[in-house]
Each structure stands twice: as C-alpha cells, then as structure tokens.
C-alpha cells in the first residue's frame, strides 16, 4: 500500500471551510483514497473515499489531483464538533497480501476555533 | 443496527494472565482487522482476516493471536500479556477486501496490563 503524508495539525475558524491536504505520491492506479476521522478516543469514523474523480457526500468533499499524487478533504462549514484527528489512507483492490495492510499513520489534528 | 461490537470496553489485568477481547460484526463482512493505538504512533494494524480461516499478520503481530472460525467473530487473544501491550484496541470490518469497501470500526477496548 502507498504511504500517505499529512500535516500534524491545522486550525480552522468555525463556519469556514476546512481544507485538509494529503500526499500519496506512490499511489498506484487501482488504489482508493480514503478519509476517516477520530474524535477523542472513539473508533475512527468513515468520511469519504474516491479513486480518480472528485467525490461529495453529506459530510465532506474529496478533491483528487489529476496525477492522483495528492488529495484534499474539504469540510465546507466546519463546526466545533468537527474537531478531531483526520486520517488519509490508501487501499488497493488486490485480493490479499500486503495490499490489505491498511496503514493509518498519525493523521492531522484539526482544531476548529470558535 | 449495523455495527462492530467489541467487549469489554475496559480491561485491567496482570502480566501473564491470558485474555481474550471479542469482536463481532452483524453485517456479513468478509474483511476484519485489529488495530492498536498508542500516543504518537497512530493506529497500527495487528492482524487481519480476509475471510473465514484466512488470517495474516499486520505490522505489530508479536504477542497476539487471532482466529476466524466464523464470519462474524474475530477475537484477539493475548496468551501472556505484558505491560507493553497496554493500549487502546480497535476492531474493524469491511464488506469485502476490495478497494472500494469502507472500514467500520468498533468503539474500542482500553487494556491496561500491570
């Protein structure tokens, strides 16, 4: 699986858009980009995923660059409840082996300020 | 309700006393995995299973065992716990091993080994 790189922390004002970057320069053509978040010590929560195209759901938008080497998670109107650690990971489509070792890393701590 | 259930939520034990942390999912998911989370180290994968009777090591398997005799259950076994296994543990599952299949996490088990 490709490794990802994220900034350790970011701040965002309440009500503004939060843009969280992720680098995955070694991603292969059939690996998906996933975003999860973890609030305090709860279980990580799935947010969104994508392969090549930009994606949007009720929680967030995912923008993937054309070369797929980086992506940005966008929370359009951040609230205090969005304060959490955000993880960007990649997941392959092969059945088996090392591609199913999902590497989470340490993520980005997003602090939404009032 | 679709969920991943871990038990117990909190466990305090002594060195060398065998213990089992249970994980069960009610979504007929193929893929299941165990993670541990330690300050500054993020989520690290212990073991994963791609289906019944198919398990493999993650990044930190030493001192742990797993089994997958039924599709819904994936217990984590510590045969002889040591203080360095004090950690927050998460079980996760996904519908398939394919790349477009999000992980669903349990609420965690906080283990203390004295």
């Amino acid at each position: 699986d490709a490794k990802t790189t994220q900034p350790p922390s970011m701040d965002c004002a309440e009500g503004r858009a939060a843009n969280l970057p992720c680098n995955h320069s070694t991603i292969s053509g059939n690996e998906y980009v996933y975003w999860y978040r973890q609030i305090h010590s709860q279980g990580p929560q799935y947010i969104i995923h994508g392969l090549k195209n930009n994606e949007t759901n009720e929680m967030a938008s995912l923008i993937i660059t054309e070369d797929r080497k980086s992506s940005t998670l966008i929370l359009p109107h951040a609230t205090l409840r969005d304060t959490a650690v955000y993880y960007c990971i990649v997941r392959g489509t092969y059945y088996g082996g090392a591609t199913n070792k999902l590497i989470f890393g340490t993520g980005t701590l997003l602090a939404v300020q009032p | 309700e679709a969920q991943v259930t871990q038990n117990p939520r909190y466990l305090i034990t002594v060195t060398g006393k065998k213990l089992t942390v249970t994980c069960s999912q009610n979504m007929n998911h193929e893929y299941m995995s165990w993670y541990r989370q330690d300050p500054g180290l993020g989520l690290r994968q212990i073991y994963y299973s791609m289906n019944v009777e198919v398990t493999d090591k993650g990044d930190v398997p030493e001192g742990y065992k797993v089994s997958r005799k039924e599709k819904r259950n994936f217990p984590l076994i510590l045969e002889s716990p040591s203080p360095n296994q004090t950690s927050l543990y998460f079980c996760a599952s996904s519908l398939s091993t394919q790349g477009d299949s999000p992980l669903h996490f349990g609420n965690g088990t906080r283990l203390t080994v004295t």
Side-chain angles (χ1 to χ4, degrees), chain B residues 42-63:
Chain B
L43 283 156
R44 294 180 294 168
Q45 193 173 41
I46 303 171
Y47 269 95
Y48 63 94
S49 169
M50 293 187 292
N51 214 322
V52 175
E53 303 291 2
V54 181
T55 63
D56 207 349
K57 297 176 181 179
D59 290 315
V60 288
E62 294 77 22

Side-chain angles (χ1 to χ4, degrees), chain A:
Chain A
D1 279 335
K3 297 282 196 300
T4 62
T5 304
Q6 300 175 254
S9 64
M10 293 182 64
D11 288 342
C12 177
E14 190 176 19
R16 304 296 293 268
N19 295 277
L20 291 91
C22 179
N23 286 322
H24 29 80
S25 58
T26 60
I27 194 169
S28 62
N30 54 9
E31 286 184 315
Y32 286 78
V33 179
Y34 275 81
W35 284 85
Y36 293 82
R37 73 180 182 184
Q38 186 177 25
I39 296 171
H40 195 46
S41 294
Q42 298 175 20
Q45 175 190 22
Y46 164 75
I47 301 173
I48 198 168
H49 73 282
L51 184 62
K52 296 178 183 176
N53 300 320
N54 298 336
E55 301 287 345
T56 295
N57 63 20
E58 65 278 2
M59 289 180 69
S61 295
L62 173 61
I63 308 297
I64 303 173
T65 57
E66 193 168 340
D67 63 7
R68 303 207 329 120
K69 292 184 177 182
S70 65
S71 62
T72 301
L73 178 74
I74 301 173
L75 307 179
H77 305 286
T79 71
L80 298 178
R81 286 178 294 182
D82 291 322
T83 293
V85 176
Y86 288 77
Y87 297 97
C88 166
I89 70 168
V90 296
R91 186 174 194 187
T93 59
Y94 292 120
Y95 197 99
T99 58
N100 274 293
K101 286 186 182 181
L102 300 179
I103 302 169
F104 272 77
T106 54
T108 296
L109 173 59
L110 175 68
V112 180
Q113 311 290 346

Side-chain angles (χ1 to χ4, degrees), chain B residues 1 3-5 22-32 49 51-52 67-75 91-93:
Chain B
E1 181 188 349
Q3 59 186 358
V4 178
T5 303
T22 64
C23 174
S24 180
Q25 49 88 9
N26 61 0
M27 298 170 280
N28 201 35
H29 282 179
E30 281 188 352
Y31 181 93
M32 297 186 75
S49 169
N51 214 322
V52 175
S67 68
R68 188 93 182 271
K69 293 184 170 59
E70 307 165 282
K71 200 170 189 178
R72 64 183 292 125
N73 296 322
F74 190 46
C91 180
S93 71

